[in-house]
Amino acid sequence: MDKRTRFWVSRKTPLTWLMVLCMLASSVVRVIFACTRGTGDSGNLWSLVVLPGAACLLFALICILNGKERYYKTAIPIYMMALYLCFYTRTSHPQMDNWYLFLYYFLFFTLATVYALTVAGKFQHFWVLLFVYLVPLLARTVDNWSVLTVSFVRNSVLELIPDSIFLVGLVLGVFATKIQNDGKYHPTWGDRSDGRLLRTMYPMGRIIPYIMPNRNGSNNLFSNSVEITSMERFIRMRRREGMTGLGITHIILAAYARTVAKYPGLNRFVAGQKIYSRGDDIQVCMTIKKEMTVEAPDSVIKVHLDPSDTLEDVYKKFNVLVDEVKNAPLNSDFDNLTRAFTMIPGVFLKFFVWLLKLLDYFGLVPTSLTKLSPFHGSLFVTSIGSLGIPAVFHHLYDFGNLPVFCAFGYKRKANEISAEGELILKKYIDLNFTLDERIVDGFYYATAIKYMNRLLQHPQLLEQPPETVVQDIE
């Protein structure tokens, strides 16, 4: 699916740590020189010390914290250094003609762009990075020799030290850089921490999120009924064989995961007016109670399923999380998070939620929050039947990115006439879906739900992994 080359660096490689030390040394030396020699006005302090120092630290942090998955983000500090070199050139050569200044600026930002394209996978050879690093190093060295004076040792060479250390660190980083060979998709520009940007969506699919920006203003309601005679028979048989806690919820979740394996468009979401795919991470949220009483508080679990999961896999994953919440003497992480929010005064809480929405629009909400959030996921399931009432149509949430809500009610009986003219009694459960129509069209939804119905009526199909798992579009 993805043909681009992916570069990464490992924290286990000594060259990576040497590169980090060079970055830290470059930043520290800049501060020391600024303290001992001064920089003139405050503008020079920010442009000639703070900017490159921050770039060095940011480069090191990206490589250490997320160098395996998001090495492409090192392009940000490289652009910061290009901006710094522009400031430096203008400050150190105040008499330089504007045309030559423009050529310098063009060179710096062209090299930064080549670097960004390389780490994003546009070029397949790491030696391109080495070329990008050595050109400015050579330019700076020649520039300092060209202005050789009696104060060369005191000024020019000292000014060259921090940048030289930075460039030496980059060269070390080149030899620490590896190519991803695991065959998996790895993030690049435009992707979010929780999803991959779909870049080949048809034109109407790209425009719809701008026309209908709110999730609740773009949902469709779908009522579905499933005959469960064979499902109940299957559940009783599996309970006798050891899956004592098996229920309809497990089969619905397993059927949905298997449907995603065939129709991966169900695992998309809309964020920031763009459409993303969660890939093989099917995040199912569900509200549960520790006790079935009115006073018992609600808690939310988030089960991470895979399209290749069997019914037994879903059964184990779901029950582990339910048992953790029901048997834990203390509150869950989700409960602690919501309690922390309630401690914020109302006026500030409103601003805080607005800020979270803004960050979520750009995909900047911390992963630690989205992992716990019931508003970020693939599917929210609620078992209304356990409360003894029919299925309802539940709204979606404008906060977060959850695109599908499924509510199923209690078992109901219906008298029907068979093809032979006999009156027979059948059992049904109703599944009501609220669907974000922006991720796929109505035909796609209809086809996927019909396939899910077939799985629900023949749950034995869920005991074996799927023959193939279809990948979503690029």
Side-chain angles (χ1 to χ4, degrees):
M1 178 180 63
D2 184 46
K3 303 300 182 182
R4 288 192 275 189
T5 303
R6 290 289 184 264
F7 296 105
W8 67 290
V9 291
S10 173
R11 284 178 288 186
K12 299 179 181 180
T13 304
L15 285 175
T16 301
W17 289 102
L18 288 175
M19 178 269 295
V20 170
L21 289 176
C22 287
M23 294 297 171
L24 296 178
S26 177
S27 182
V28 171
V29 170
R30 293 177 197 278
V31 175
I32 293 175
F33 283 2
C35 294
T36 57
R37 303 174 59 208
T39 58
D41 56 29
S42 60
N44 288 338
L45 174 64
W46 285 101
S47 60
L48 302 181
V49 179
V50 176
L51 180 61
C56 294
L57 295 177
L58 182 59
F59 194 101
L61 286 174
I62 291 173
C63 291
I64 293 299
L65 299 180
N66 217 343
K68 185 172 183 179
E69 289 295 327
R70 288 177 170 80
Y71 183 59
Y72 66 92
K73 287 190 174 182
T74 55
I76 297 174
I78 294 299
Y79 272 111
M80 293 169 64
M81 289 301 295
L83 184 60
Y84 150 73
L85 290 174
C86 291
F87 283 126
Y88 176 84
T89 303
R90 187 184 63 184
T91 304
S92 60
H93 299 80
Q95 304 302 323
M96 182 179 288
D97 184 76
N98 289 335
W99 174 248
Y100 285 106
L101 278 176
F102 172 78
L103 289 179
Y104 269 97
Y105 296 168
F106 180 78
L107 170 66
F108 297 144
F109 280 99
T110 298
L111 291 173
T113 301
V114 172
Y115 176 88
L117 293 175
T118 303
V119 294
K122 295 295 185 179
F123 301 110
Q124 300 182 0
H125 304 285
F126 76 94
W127 58 262
V128 176
L129 299 180
L130 188 61
F131 170 78
V132 172
Y133 300 149
L134 291 180
V135 168
L137 177 61
L138 179 62
R140 286 297 308 278
T141 304
V142 171
D143 179 63
N144 276 273
W145 278 100
S146 66
V147 293
L148 181 62
T149 65
V150 294
S151 61
F152 175 76
V153 175
R154 186 174 68 255
N155 294 322
S156 300
V157 171
L158 290 179
E159 290 179 358
L160 185 60
I161 289 176
D163 293 341
S164 299
I165 297 176
F166 172 76
L167 289 169
V168 168
L170 290 177
V171 173
L172 291 172
V174 169
F175 293 102
T177 300
K178 303 178 182 179
I179 297 178
Q180 296 277 13
N181 293 316
D182 54 8
K184 299 179 181 179
Y185 179 86
H186 295 276
T188 185
W189 297 110
D191 294 336
R192 293 166 54 104
S193 60
D194 53 355
R196 171 178 62 85
L197 178 65
L198 298 182
R199 298 171 173 84
T200 60
M201 283 288 294
Y202 57 94
M204 188 61 183
R206 297 184 185 183
I207 295 174
I208 284 179
Y210 290 92
I211 298 174
M212 297 183 292
N214 298 321
R215 194 163 285 103
N216 263 322
S218 53
N219 61 40
N220 287 326
L221 307 179
F222 181 84
S223 181
N224 187 36
S225 297
V226 179
E227 206 278 321
I228 59 171
T229 301
S230 59
M231 185 190 300
E232 287 192 315
R233 187 185 308 116
F234 175 83
I235 290 174
R236 289 193 296 269
M237 180 177 63
R238 288 294 173 264
R239 284 178 176 177
R240 288 194 297 267
E241 295 175 354
M243 298 177 70
T244 55
L246 182 66
I248 292 177
T249 301
H250 300 99
I251 295 179
I252 290 176
L253 297 186
Y256 193 84
R258 185 60 53 85
T259 304
V260 171
K262 188 175 179 65
Y263 300 98
L266 295 180
N267 206 27
R268 299 173 183 171
F269 65 91
V270 178
Q273 269 69 65
K274 293 180 175 61
I275 301 178
Y276 298 83
S277 171
R278 293 190 187 277
D280 293 337
D281 185 17
I282 308 171
Q283 302 179 13
V284 180
C285 304
M286 190 171 187
T287 302
I288 62 173
K289 284 179 172 287
K290 287 191 175 185
E291 299 176 359
M292 294 301 293
T293 63
V294 177
E295 295 80 13
D298 294 334
S299 187
V300 175
I301 61 172
K302 182 179 288 188
V303 189
H304 291 264
L305 304 180
D306 189 274
S308 60
D309 281 345
T310 63
L311 176 60
E312 184 177 0
D313 296 328
V314 174
Y315 174 79
K316 291 178 179 178
K317 290 180 179 180
F318 182 81
N319 285 2
V320 165
L321 290 179
V322 172
D323 292 341
E324 285 181 0
V325 173
K326 289 188 173 182
N327 298 330
L330 301 176
N331 295 319
S332 65
D333 292 338
F334 171 76
D335 298 328
N336 294 329
L337 176 63
T338 54
R339 179 171 289 102
F341 283 174
T342 60
M343 297 174 65
I344 303 175
V347 176
F348 298 104
L349 179 59
K350 187 173 183 179
F351 170 76
F352 183 71
V353 172
W354 173 84
L355 180 61
L356 282 179
K357 288 183 177 180
L358 179 65
L359 293 175
D360 193 36
Y361 184 93
F362 295 103
L364 299 177
V365 174
T367 306
S368 57
L369 289 182
T370 57
K371 284 183 178 180
L372 299 177
S373 169
F375 311 109
H376 295 78
S378 307
L379 169 72
F380 205 116
V381 176
T382 180
S383 175
I384 304 298
S386 61
L387 305 179
I389 60 176
V392 300
F393 288 102
H394 198 287
H395 62 85
L396 297 177
Y397 303 103
D398 284 330
F399 176 71
N401 53 39
L402 196 118
V404 180
F405 207 113
C406 174
F408 63 96
Y410 57 64
K411 303 173 186 177
R412 61 177 178 85
K413 298 179 181 179
N415 291 316
E416 298 182 1
I417 298 177
S418 67
E420 291 77 20
E422 298 180 356
L423 184 66
I424 57 177
L425 182 66
K426 288 190 175 183
K427 281 187 179 181
Y428 287 89
I429 58 169
D430 297 321
L431 292 87
N432 290 347
F433 289 91
T434 306
L435 309 166
D436 187 343
E437 69 166 324
R438 298 173 298 176
I439 60 173
V440 295
D441 57 36
F443 182 83
Y444 196 102
Y445 270 132
T447 306
I449 291 177
K450 285 191 290 186
Y451 178 72
M452 181 178 174
N453 284 346
R454 187 166 73 88
L455 294 172
L456 292 174
Q457 293 172 350
H458 302 87
Q460 63 273 11
L461 297 174
L462 302 172
E463 295 187 286
Q464 300 297 325
E467 295 182 0
T468 59
V469 175
V470 179
Q471 298 296 321
D472 206 347
I473 61 175
E474 294 185 12

Coordinates of all heavy atoms in Angstrom, one line a residue, residues 128-166:
V128 N 21.7 11.2 0.7 CA 21.1 12.5 0.4 C 21.2 13.4 1.6 O 21.5 14.6 1.6 CB 19.7 12.4 -0.1 CG1 19.1 13.8 -0.4 CG2 19.7 11.6 -1.5
L129 N 20.9 12.8 2.8 CA 21.0 13.5 4.1 C 22.4 14.0 4.3 O 22.6 15.1 4.8 CB 20.5 12.6 5.2 CG 19.1 12.1 5.2 CD1 18.8 11.2 6.4 CD2 18.1 13.3 5.1
L130 N 23.4 13.2 4.0 CA 24.8 13.5 4.3 C 25.1 14.7 3.4 O 25.8 15.7 3.8 CB 25.7 12.4 3.9 CG 27.2 12.5 4.3 CD1 27.3 12.7 5.8 CD2 27.9 11.3 3.8
F131 N 24.7 14.8 2.1 CA 24.9 15.9 1.3 C 24.3 17.2 1.8 O 24.9 18.2 1.8 CB 24.3 15.6 -0.1 CG 24.3 16.8 -1.0 CD1 25.4 17.2 -1.7 CD2 23.1 17.5 -1.3 CE1 25.4 18.3 -2.5 CE2 23.0 18.6 -2.1 CZ 24.2 19.0 -2.7
V132 N 23.1 17.0 2.4 CA 22.4 18.2 2.9 C 23.1 18.8 4.1 O 23.2 20.0 4.3 CB 20.9 17.8 3.4 CG1 20.3 18.9 4.1 CG2 20.1 17.4 2.2
Y133 N 23.7 17.9 4.9 CA 24.5 18.4 6.1 C 25.8 19.0 5.7 O 26.2 20.0 6.3 CB 24.7 17.2 7.1 CG 23.5 16.6 7.6 CD1 23.5 15.2 7.9 CD2 22.3 17.3 7.7 CE1 22.4 14.6 8.4 CE2 21.2 16.7 8.2 CZ 21.2 15.3 8.5 OH 20.1 14.7 9.0
L134 N 26.5 18.4 4.8 CA 27.9 18.9 4.5 C 27.9 20.2 3.7 O 28.9 21.0 3.8 CB 28.6 17.8 3.7 CG 28.9 16.5 4.4 CD1 29.6 15.5 3.6 CD2 29.8 16.8 5.7
V135 N 26.9 20.5 2.9 CA 26.9 21.7 2.1 C 26.9 22.9 3.0 O 27.7 23.8 2.9 CB 25.7 21.7 1.2 CG1 25.5 23.1 0.6 CG2 25.9 20.8 0.0
P136 N 26.0 23.1 4.0 CA 26.1 24.2 4.9 C 27.3 24.3 5.8 O 27.8 25.3 6.1 CB 24.8 24.1 5.8 CG 24.4 22.7 5.7 CD 24.8 22.2 4.3
L137 N 27.8 23.1 6.1 CA 29.1 23.0 6.9 C 30.2 23.6 6.1 O 31.0 24.4 6.6 CB 29.4 21.6 7.3 CG 30.7 21.4 8.1 CD1 30.7 22.2 9.4 CD2 31.0 19.9 8.4
L138 N 30.3 23.2 4.8 CA 31.3 23.7 3.9 C 31.1 25.2 3.7 O 32.1 26.0 3.7 CB 31.3 23.0 2.6 CG 32.3 23.4 1.5 CD1 33.7 23.2 2.0 CD2 32.0 22.7 0.2
A139 N 29.9 25.7 3.5 CA 29.6 27.1 3.3 C 30.0 27.9 4.5 O 30.6 29.0 4.3 CB 28.1 27.3 2.9
R140 N 29.7 27.5 5.7 CA 30.1 28.2 6.9 C 31.6 28.3 7.0 O 32.1 29.4 7.4 CB 29.4 27.6 8.1 CG 27.9 27.8 8.3 CD 27.6 29.3 8.4 NE 28.4 29.9 9.5 CZ 28.1 29.9 10.8 NH1 27.0 29.2 11.2 NH2 28.8 30.5 11.7
T141 N 32.3 27.2 6.8 CA 33.7 27.2 6.9 C 34.4 28.1 5.9 O 35.3 28.9 6.3 CB 34.3 25.8 6.7 OG1 33.6 24.9 7.6 CG2 35.8 25.7 7.0
V142 N 34.0 28.1 4.7 CA 34.5 29.0 3.7 C 34.2 30.4 4.0 O 35.1 31.3 3.8 CB 34.0 28.6 2.3 CG1 34.4 29.6 1.2 CG2 34.5 27.2 1.9
D143 N 33.0 30.7 4.5 CA 32.6 32.0 4.9 C 33.5 32.6 6.0 O 33.9 33.7 5.9 CB 31.2 32.0 5.3 CG 30.7 33.4 5.7 OD1 30.7 34.3 4.9 OD2 30.4 33.6 6.9
N144 N 33.8 31.8 7.0 CA 34.7 32.2 8.0 C 36.1 32.5 7.6 O 36.8 33.4 8.0 CB 34.7 31.2 9.2 CG 33.5 31.4 10.1 OD1 33.5 32.2 11.0 ND2 32.4 30.7 9.8
W145 N 36.6 31.6 6.7 CA 38.0 31.8 6.2 C 38.1 33.1 5.3 O 39.1 33.7 5.2 CB 38.5 30.6 5.4 CG 39.0 29.5 6.3 CD1 38.3 28.4 6.7 CD2 40.3 29.5 6.9 NE1 39.1 27.7 7.5 CE2 40.4 28.3 7.6 CE3 41.4 30.3 6.8 CZ2 41.5 27.9 8.3 CZ3 42.6 29.9 7.5 CH2 42.6 28.7 8.3
S146 N 37.0 33.4 4.6 CA 37.0 34.5 3.7 C 37.1 35.9 4.5 O 37.4 36.9 3.9 CB 35.7 34.5 2.9 OG 34.5 34.7 3.7
V147 N 36.7 35.9 5.7 CA 36.8 37.1 6.5 C 37.9 37.0 7.6 O 37.8 37.5 8.7 CB 35.4 37.4 7.2 CG1 34.4 37.7 6.2 CG2 35.0 36.2 8.1
L148 N 39.0 36.3 7.2 CA 40.1 36.1 8.1 C 40.7 37.4 8.5 O 41.1 38.3 7.7 CB 41.2 35.2 7.4 CG 42.4 34.9 8.3 CD1 42.0 34.1 9.5 CD2 43.4 34.1 7.4
T149 N 40.8 37.7 9.8 CA 41.4 38.9 10.4 C 42.3 38.5 11.6 O 42.4 37.3 11.9 CB 40.4 39.9 10.8 OG1 39.6 39.3 11.9 CG2 39.4 40.2 9.7
V150 N 42.9 39.4 12.2 CA 43.7 39.1 13.4 C 42.8 38.6 14.6 O 43.4 38.0 15.5 CB 44.4 40.4 13.9 CG1 45.5 40.8 12.8 CG2 43.4 41.6 14.2
S151 N 41.5 38.9 14.5 CA 40.7 38.4 15.6 C 40.0 37.1 15.2 O 39.0 36.7 15.8 CB 39.6 39.4 15.9 OG 38.8 39.7 14.7
F152 N 40.5 36.4 14.2 CA 39.9 35.2 13.7 C 39.7 34.1 14.8 O 38.7 33.6 14.9 CB 40.7 34.6 12.5 CG 40.2 33.3 12.0 CD1 39.1 33.2 11.2 CD2 40.9 32.1 12.3 CE1 38.7 32.0 10.7 CE2 40.4 30.9 11.9 CZ 39.3 30.9 11.1
V153 N 40.8 33.9 15.5 CA 40.8 32.8 16.5 C 39.7 33.2 17.6 O 39.0 32.4 18.1 CB 42.2 32.6 17.1 CG1 42.1 31.6 18.2 CG2 43.1 32.1 16.0
R154 N 39.7 34.5 17.9 CA 38.8 34.9 19.0 C 37.4 35.0 18.6 O 36.5 34.7 19.4 CB 39.3 36.3 19.5 CG 38.5 36.7 20.8 CD 39.1 38.0 21.3 NE 38.8 39.1 20.5 CZ 39.8 39.7 19.7 NH1 41.0 39.3 19.7 NH2 39.5 40.8 18.9
N155 N 37.1 35.3 17.3 CA 35.7 35.5 16.9 C 35.2 34.4 16.0 O 34.3 33.6 16.3 CB 35.5 36.9 16.3 CG 35.8 38.0 17.3 OD1 35.4 37.9 18.4 ND2 36.4 39.1 16.9
S156 N 35.8 34.4 14.8 CA 35.2 33.5 13.7 C 35.2 32.1 14.1 O 34.2 31.4 14.0 CB 36.0 33.7 12.4 OG 35.9 35.1 12.0
V157 N 36.3 31.6 14.6 CA 36.4 30.1 15.0 C 35.4 29.8 16.1 O 34.7 28.8 16.1 CB 37.8 29.8 15.3 CG1 37.9 28.3 15.9 CG2 38.7 29.8 14.1
L158 N 35.4 30.7 17.1 CA 34.5 30.5 18.2 C 33.0 30.5 17.8 O 32.2 29.7 18.3 CB 34.7 31.5 19.3 CG 36.0 31.4 20.1 CD1 36.1 32.6 21.1 CD2 36.2 30.1 20.8
E159 N 32.7 31.3 16.8 CA 31.3 31.4 16.3 C 31.0 30.1 15.5 O 29.8 29.7 15.4 CB 31.1 32.6 15.5 CG 31.1 33.9 16.3 CD 30.9 35.1 15.4 OE1 30.8 34.9 14.1 OE2 30.9 36.2 15.9
L160 N 32.0 29.5 15.0 CA 31.8 28.3 14.2 C 31.6 27.0 15.0 O 31.0 26.1 14.6 CB 33.0 28.1 13.2 CG 32.9 27.0 12.2 CD1 31.8 27.2 11.3 CD2 34.2 26.9 11.4
I161 N 32.1 27.1 16.3 CA 32.0 25.9 17.1 C 30.6 25.3 17.3 O 30.4 24.1 17.0 CB 32.7 26.1 18.4 CG1 34.3 26.3 18.2 CG2 32.4 25.0 19.4 CD1 35.0 26.6 19.5
P162 N 29.6 26.1 17.8 CA 28.3 25.5 18.0 C 27.7 24.9 16.8 O 27.1 23.8 16.8 CB 27.5 26.7 18.5 CG 28.5 27.7 19.0 CD 29.7 27.5 18.1
D163 N 27.8 25.6 15.6 CA 27.2 25.1 14.4 C 27.9 23.8 13.9 O 27.3 22.9 13.4 CB 27.2 26.1 13.3 CG 26.2 27.3 13.7 OD1 25.4 27.1 14.5 OD2 26.4 28.4 13.1
S164 N 29.3 23.8 14.1 CA 30.0 22.7 13.7 C 29.7 21.4 14.5 O 29.5 20.3 14.0 CB 31.5 23.0 13.8 OG 31.9 24.1 13.0
I165 N 29.5 21.6 15.8 CA 29.1 20.5 16.7 C 27.7 20.0 16.2 O 27.5 18.8 16.2 CB 29.1 21.0 18.2 CG1 30.5 21.4 18.6 CG2 28.5 19.8 19.0 CD1 30.5 21.9 20.0
F166 N 26.8 20.9 15.9 CA 25.5 20.5 15.5 C 25.6 19.7 14.2 O 24.9 18.6 14.1 CB 24.6 21.8 15.2 CG 23.3 21.5 14.6 CD1 22.3 21.0 15.3 CD2 23.1 21.8 13.2 CE1 21.0 20.8 14.7 CE2 21.9 21.6 12.6 CZ 20.9 21.1 13.4

